[in-house]
Amino acid sequence: MTELLAPAGNIEALDAALGEGADAVYMGLKSFNARLRSSNFAWNQAEAAVQSVHRAGKKLYITVNTVCEENETERLYRFLNYLKRIEVDGIIVQDFGVVRMCQEFFPELELHASTQMNVESASAANLLLREGFKRVVVARELGLEEIKSIKAKTNAEIEMFVHGALCVSES
């Protein structure tokens, strides 16, 4: 299955992505999102966005792609519970702490491995598949032939960026 997935940093971008034929959109909220300097969506806006996207027969994924600190655990739990309740189609994650919390308390949340996990091999994709991920966003520096090779050796859904700036991880 091929899915055209577009980013939606605000309501206008969401409407534009759907209007131009995207099958799905991904967006971040004002919590646990690596693009905190973007406008992002408030929690109540996310709920309306999910309803709108689903009415259009499309999918909506939420980025939960920051590394969760110990003091954020309770807030993360409430956030994931909210995402489950509003019935997002999946979450894009990079932190195995988030993964473990989902596995234990929110197994209905579909997991997508963020490009920030730097997946560059079928072995890595298969490991994530065994850990409960449905989709793997491969590393951005991979070429088409490398991605084809990975896909030939895994049952994980493969997502790739076709345009965009490189993500940078800073510790």
Side-chain angles (χ1 to χ4, degrees):
M1 170 193 107
T2 301
E3 177 181 82
L4 178 59
L5 174 62
N10 55 43
I11 297 291
E12 293 79 18
L14 174 69
D15 291 342
L18 296 176
E20 294 299 322
D23 301 305
V25 294
Y26 70 92
M27 60 188 225
L29 277 64
K30 295 187 184 291
S31 302
F32 303 104
N33 169 21
R35 290 193 176 107
L36 289 178
R37 291 188 183 107
S38 298
S39 57
N40 296 311
F41 286 77
W43 286 30
N44 62 342
Q45 291 175 308
E47 195 165 347
V50 169
Q51 292 169 1
S52 174
V53 168
H54 286 171
R55 268 195 308 275
K58 311 290 182 165
K59 292 185 176 184
L60 189 140
Y61 307 112
I62 300 290
T63 56
V64 186
N65 58 347
T66 58
V67 175
C68 182
E69 296 179 15
E70 191 70 33
N71 64 353
E72 298 175 310
T73 304
E74 184 179 328
R75 217 173 89 227
L76 174 65
Y77 179 90
R78 287 193 311 269
F79 184 61
L80 293 171
N81 191 48
Y82 171 74
L83 296 179
K84 179 193 80 153
R85 187 174 55 75
I86 67 171
E87 299 180 346
V88 300
D89 295 291
I91 61 173
I92 303 166
V93 303
Q94 75 155 322
D95 182 352
F96 268 99
V98 176
V99 173
R100 290 290 181 245
M101 187 176 284
C102 288
Q103 290 170 333
E104 186 170 347
F105 300 106
F106 308 105
E108 55 278 291
L109 286 174
E110 184 175 291
L111 298 174
H112 296 193
S114 171
T115 190
Q116 294 161 306
M117 291 185 118
N118 294 319
V119 173
E120 295 188 9
S121 69
S123 296
N126 287 327
L127 172 65
L128 293 171
L129 189 63
R130 287 190 301 274
E131 287 295 322
F133 286 84
K134 180 177 181 186
R135 181 178 296 176
V136 174
V137 186
V138 293
R140 293 183 184 199
E141 61 271 16
L142 294 178
L144 186 56
E145 292 307 314
E146 294 166 303
I147 295 168
K148 285 180 183 178
S149 175
I150 292 169
K151 182 57 189 159
K153 299 171 189 164
T154 185
N155 288 325
E157 290 183 6
I158 298 295
E159 179 180 321
M160 63 184 171
F161 281 81
V162 294
H163 186 327
L166 287 175
C167 284
V168 175
S169 179
E170 180 178 319
S171 178

